[in-house]
Amino acid sequence: MKRAYVFPGQGAQVIGMGRDLAEAYPSARAVFDEVDEALGERLSALIWEGEIAELTLTQNAQPALMATSIAAVRALEAEGVSAMDAAFVAGHSLGEYSALCAAGAMGLSDTARMLRLRGRAMQDAVPVGEGAMAAVLGLDFDAVTAIAQDAAEGEVCEAANDNDPAQVVISGHKAAVERAAALAKARGAKRAMLLPVSAPFHCALMQPAAEAMAEALKGVQINAPAVPLVANVKAEAVSDPEEIRNLLVAQVTGRVRWRESVAWMAEQGVTQMIEVGAGKALSGMIRRIAKSVDVVAINTAADAKTLAERIGEAHV
């Protein structure tokens, strides 16, 4: 069976995520300890016992979600299932950093520090209240792109996340995004709703954050991943460290081409995708994109054991 590991992005965070893994596997606990040390604070305490409003702050959510994903990777390794045996890794937005860490392209401490910086830079790029994002359900990418262009009226309004055949997220100036949401409903969208995010991610307004990441990533060791990365902005596999570095910068303002990325992996013969970390949002998207692909979400120790048993039985 040809597998891909996929890693969730912002929005999947919940208080308590990863705690079960840390309690069951010393290697998973060590992930949270290392992230705490890298950031100089007990992020793990916020993740497991804090307030959801604080965890949802971009600068906290990004390293927290990555830590939870890598803890799940370590749990799978403890059960004899390695991400290094996958055909590809991929991640949704910040999940791309989790994917690179899982594939050995970036060290865990560096990944945590980059995501803390990325979260702050993205938050600071646009004053609070000036930007917005909205999810449009029931229209395809081309239709939503046209709506964003028609609604812009000289402001920024772009398709930011092409998530699945009937879910596209738009991002930009708040007034323009509100116009686009209204226009989407008028043009037949099932729903068009503003998202509870603190900044307009993956659009031209993030250029200051892209510049900050370009500078920060200059000082980070990036190795060729042991498993090729299907990059958000290319929707195909890359392995060259300098290309990965450049794509991580481009990703800040660029579109998350998730629908195309999943379809590309399916075209390469991937028959199972393992969502590693918090939530099951990607699993739902994958099922709508590539109906023949088996999707498994790994959130808990029980999930890790169940997958290991399934894989072991398949090899008997």
Side-chain angles (χ1 to χ4, degrees), residues 54-81:
E54 188 178 355
L55 180 61
T56 298
L57 292 174
T58 302
Q59 67 188 48
N60 293 328
Q62 295 200 14
L65 284 161
M66 182 277 297
T68 302
S69 285
I70 301 303
V73 169
R74 299 288 177 261
L76 286 171
E77 288 172 353
E79 296 293 345
V81 179

Side-chain angles (χ1 to χ4, degrees), residues 238-259:
V238 296
S239 291
D240 177 72
E242 288 314 303
E243 184 178 13
I244 289 169
R245 196 185 311 272
N246 292 335
L247 291 173
L248 288 174
V249 176
Q251 184 222 54
V252 177
T253 55
R255 183 171 78 251
V256 177
R257 296 169 61 185
W258 189 251
R259 174 181 58 85

Side-chain angles (χ1 to χ4, degrees), residues 83-152:
M84 301 304 183
D85 296 332
F88 304 104
V89 294
H92 193 284
S93 190
L94 84 89
E96 193 152 274
Y97 285 78
S98 307
L100 288 166
C101 184
M106 291 179 71
L108 177 59
S109 293
D110 279 343
T111 307
R113 285 189 287 263
M114 285 300 101
L115 285 173
R116 167 56 56 83
L117 190 151
R118 182 179 184 267
R120 284 180 174 154
M122 293 173 86
Q123 182 63 66
D124 293 345
V126 180
V128 174
E130 288 191 12
M133 299 180 79
V136 179
L137 308 182
L139 296 176
D140 66 16
F141 174 73
D142 289 341
V144 176
T145 299
I147 287 166
Q149 290 171 347
D150 291 345

Side-chain angles (χ1 to χ4, degrees), residues 156-239:
V156 172
C157 189
E158 301 171 12
N161 299 354
D162 182 8
N163 284 336
D164 67 40
Q167 184 191 125
V168 182
V169 175
I170 51 178
S171 182
H173 286 107
K174 188 166 189 273
V177 171
E178 289 172 342
R179 288 193 296 269
L183 191 56
K185 290 175 185 172
R187 293 187 185 176
K190 289 179 181 175
R191 294 181 73 187
M193 52 198 175
L194 290 177
L195 297 176
V197 295
S198 53
F201 306 133
H202 299 293
C203 75
L205 294 176
M206 287 287 109
Q207 185 57 34
E211 292 166 6
M213 290 311 297
E215 189 61 32
L217 284 162
K218 285 179 185 176
V220 172
Q221 176 71 33
I222 298 180
N223 307 309
V227 177
L229 171 77
V230 180
N232 282 188
V233 295
K234 288 193 76 172
E236 60 185 41
V238 296
S239 291

